[in-house]
Amino acid sequence: MNPILGNRGAVVAPHSLASQAGLDILREGGNAIEATIAVASTLAVVYPHMTGIGGDGFWLLHAPGQSMDSIDACGAAGANATRELYNGLDSIPWRGPLAANTVAGTVSGWGVAYDYSRTRWGGRLPFARLLESAIRYAREGFPVTHGQEEGTRAKLPDLIAQPGFATAFLNQGQVPAYGQCHRFPALANTLEQLARAGSEDFYRGELARQIGADLATIGSPVTAADLASHQARIKPPLQLRLSDATVYNMAPPTQGLASLLILGIYDRIRQSGWNPDNAEGIHALVEATKQAFLLRDKYVTDPAHMKVDPSALLSDKTLDAAAAAIPLQHASPWPAPVSDGDTTWMGVVDAAGRAVSMIQSIYFEFGSGVVLPGSGIWWQNRGCSFDLRPGRLRSLEPGRKPFHTLNPAMAALDDGRLLVYGTMGGEGQPQTQAAVFSRYVWGGHNVRSAIAAPRWLLGRTWAEQSASLKLESRYPQAVIDALRKLGHPVEVVADFDERMGHAGALVLHPQGWIEGGEDPRSDGSVAAW
């Protein structure tokens, strides 16, 4: 399985139409940020069960000779999202208007990235040009994927009664079939308004007034005032020095810390020949994941409420202690952390060697399931990750950011290569990142086979609750048996199981050429030139 090659630019995304939209921008002389906005906006239309403009987003930005930057486009809980609003409930509902309790930050991230592009990367393309593909597909239609058909059919019993869902996601009352043309006319109007007025209009303009009225109509605790107070922020990412690379990821409120911890712990204990293709490597990575998740779930929350500097959790002392806690001869007990989510990750490298790793999400498939009546936006349910009990790490409070599973990744290898990678998949995101990185950097894989090779998943991801160690059935029986002998509760799943995430990666070589790999578990592709 050979990588896709290019030398002027490349895009990878979990839907081929989105990859092509990004490549079109690169061919017109656009930079990696401009192409990413085109990819992200197109995904928000053609991959609607996985993402949308009613969610949140996070960015990593790389330019040669400059320090890495990140953009936090996470929305906070609305002013009316109080614990009293959920009086009598043990937890926040997963679906419905009360689940739509945080501001949608994705579009603000597009706006901050666009300004960054113009002021620091010489971007010249109009914002409206970057939304053209998304607008066209929303207005004229796009072919339904198997994933959209199957996702709609599977979630329909939970979502059919939610405001606006049937109007937006069904065709004449029926689940849209694979290949059938599907349209979002109300969303097309909203995207056209964004193209005319810019991203600020979503939060402090005509569109914001429409969205605020929509949210009030459906009974969400988010208001127009909450939209107006929202701002995406540029901030330094987390970074960790490994034995032969420096890896980068998002700071809290995301679980980017966990992704770095897994690699840092595994790098301390790994032995020659260990990799995600054999039982020894999988065991070590799974145990490193357990240690990373324990630290994550002890400390990571809204950064304004954290009692520990997240960089301190990447210290040699912390990593050494976590590595020492790993039993190499047996599986340790696992308490099955609680998380979920659906997401889209995308990566772009341009002709100047600038790169973007970006991820946006509405949390569960279709988010809250609520579609706003005027603007046609389906709203996220990220805020159902809040705890209704007071005094907890992630207690619900108005204005507080929710915990996020999202975390885009990059790695600067000591030989000059830049690895741009990421995935969707809730709890699986740090694990899949570890698999892709360790296969490519330490395991002898090329970037494409590192993604396509069999994967594992500890615990649950965006589709279900589970504490098992899932292994795709393409693993040899000897590997499965060895992991069971070590005490792992192995569950064998499909050959290419979508629960393992939709990963992607690009590698920029110091000579300027680019390799890319897409995930056969998704509807994605690499588009390069």
Side-chain angles (χ1 to χ4, degrees):
M1 179 173 283
N2 295 320
I4 308 299
L5 299 176
N7 61 6
R8 295 186 181 183
V11 180
V12 61
H15 196 294
S16 57
L17 295 179
S19 299
Q20 188 59 55
L23 185 63
D24 289 345
I25 296 299
L26 293 180
R27 287 182 181 275
E28 291 179 25
N31 61 40
I33 288 175
E34 292 169 320
T36 300
I37 294 171
V39 175
S41 58
T42 301
L43 283 171
V45 175
V46 303
Y47 227 35
H49 55 306
M50 290 290 162
T51 189
I53 64 172
D56 287 338
F58 298 92
W59 301 62
L60 288 184
L61 306 171
H62 161 85
Q66 299 179 21
S67 59
M68 192 88 70
D69 275 323
S70 75
I71 299 173
D72 176 340
C74 170
N80 294 329
T82 63
R83 288 191 294 274
E84 290 72 24
L85 179 67
Y86 302 93
N87 188 36
L89 298 177
D90 294 328
S91 61
I92 294 169
W94 287 3
R95 307 289 194 179
L98 292 182
N101 61 6
T102 60
V103 171
T106 287
V107 173
S108 70
W110 297 357
V112 168
Y114 183 71
D115 291 343
Y116 190 105
S117 163
R118 293 179 72 84
T119 58
R120 305 195 198 187
W121 288 11
R124 297 184 303 275
L125 293 180
F127 187 71
R129 169 64 189 96
L130 309 183
L131 303 188
E132 281 184 7
S133 289
I135 292 168
R136 183 173 66 252
Y137 289 124
R139 178 73 64 202
E140 300 176 9
F142 59 93
V144 171
T145 63
H146 283 302
Q148 183 182 342
E149 178 186 0
E150 293 164 3
T152 307
R153 198 176 303 283
K155 301 302 179 182
L156 190 59
D158 296 334
L159 298 174
I160 187 64
Q162 299 305 333
F165 183 85
T167 299
F169 287 105
L170 301 183
N171 284 344
Q172 297 181 333
Q174 301 299 312
V175 172
Y178 171 72
Q180 186 176 15
C181 185
H182 196 74
R183 298 176 179 85
F184 294 114
L187 181 64
N189 293 337
T190 292
L191 292 170
E192 287 171 347
Q193 174 65 15
L194 284 174
R196 286 190 297 269
S199 62
E200 276 285 294
D201 203 57
F202 191 101
Y203 301 93
R204 286 165 282 277
E206 179 182 338
L207 184 55
R209 289 189 287 274
Q210 173 69 71
I211 294 171
D214 281 350
L215 289 165
T217 296
I218 60 101
S220 165
V222 177
T223 68
D226 296 321
L227 296 174
S229 66
H230 171 79
Q231 294 280 355
R233 304 291 183 189
I234 297 171
K235 62 185 186 183
L238 294 178
Q239 65 181 74
L240 176 64
R241 177 67 196 162
L242 302 178
S243 56
D244 48 9
T246 300
V247 286
Y248 300 86
N249 217 300
M250 283 298 305
T254 82
Q255 65 171 341
L257 174 71
S259 292
L260 298 183
L261 285 168
I262 293 170
L263 290 175
I265 295 166
Y266 179 69
D267 195 28
R268 280 163 164 73
I269 64 173
R270 67 185 176 91
Q271 299 178 17
S272 178
W274 287 12
N275 60 62
D277 299 321
N278 57 44
E280 295 83 3
I282 296 170
H283 172 73
L285 283 162
V286 168
E287 293 303 317
T289 297
K290 293 176 182 178
Q291 294 298 318
F293 282 3
L294 289 171
L295 286 166
R296 178 200 67 185
D297 291 339
K298 184 176 181 180
Y299 295 110
V300 174
T301 186
D302 181 336
H305 293 260
M306 284 189 65
K307 295 180 172 58
V308 177
D309 181 344
S311 296
L313 299 173
L314 295 169
S315 68
D316 286 339
K317 179 180 179 181
T318 300
L319 289 165
D320 289 344
I326 290 178
L328 296 182
Q329 304 306 318
H330 60 85
S332 60
W334 185 232
V338 175
S339 187
D340 211 329
D342 66 79
T343 303
T344 53
W345 175 87
M346 61 214 78
V348 180
V349 175
D350 66 25
R354 295 167 298 211
V356 173
S357 179
M358 188 269 201
I359 195 162
Q360 64 183 32
S361 172
I362 50 174
Y363 203 23
F364 288 17
E365 288 166 309
F366 305 101
S368 65
V370 170
V371 182
L372 304 189
S375 55
I377 301 169
W378 42 100
W379 210 262
Q380 66 183 351
N381 62 337
R382 181 60 60 175
C384 69
S385 65
F386 283 119
D387 195 325
L388 288 180
R389 296 169 295 180
R392 301 284 176 157
L393 180 68
R394 298 165 188 160
S395 293
L396 175 65
E397 294 178 15
R400 188 169 185 169
K401 290 186 175 183
F403 169 71
H404 262 279
T405 52
L406 308 187
N407 61 117
M410 284 198 204
L413 279 60
D414 289 357
D415 61 9
R417 287 174 291 169
L418 180 73
L419 174 62
V420 181
Y421 65 115
T423 183
M424 56 78 83
E427 289 285 345
Q429 286 184 42
Q431 301 178 62
T432 293
Q433 287 186 18
V436 171
F437 180 94
S438 56
R439 276 190 169 122
Y440 178 72
V441 178
W442 298 320
H445 280 262
N446 68 46
V447 69
R448 203 172 185 205
S449 66
I451 294 166
R455 289 208 291 265
W456 81 92
L457 171 68
L458 172 67
R460 78 178 195 167
T461 183
W462 54 279
E464 63 180 41
Q465 298 186 56
S466 172
S468 63
L469 175 62
K470 299 168 187 63
L471 294 174
E472 288 184 321
S473 59
R474 291 177 292 138
Y475 273 110
Q477 189 61 45
V479 171
I480 295 170
D481 292 342
L483 288 166
R484 283 180 171 147
K485 187 175 181 180
L486 286 165
H488 293 285
V490 172
E491 176 187 351
V492 179
V493 298
D495 284 1
F496 290 92
D497 198 298
E498 193 177 28
R499 289 173 292 181
M500 301 295 164
H502 296 167
L506 300 172
V507 178
L508 173 63
H509 289 260
Q511 299 86 354
W513 56 287
I514 306 162
E515 294 179 290
E518 80 290 352
D519 200 321
R521 302 163 186 84
S522 75
D523 298 297
S525 68
V526 175
W529 71 313

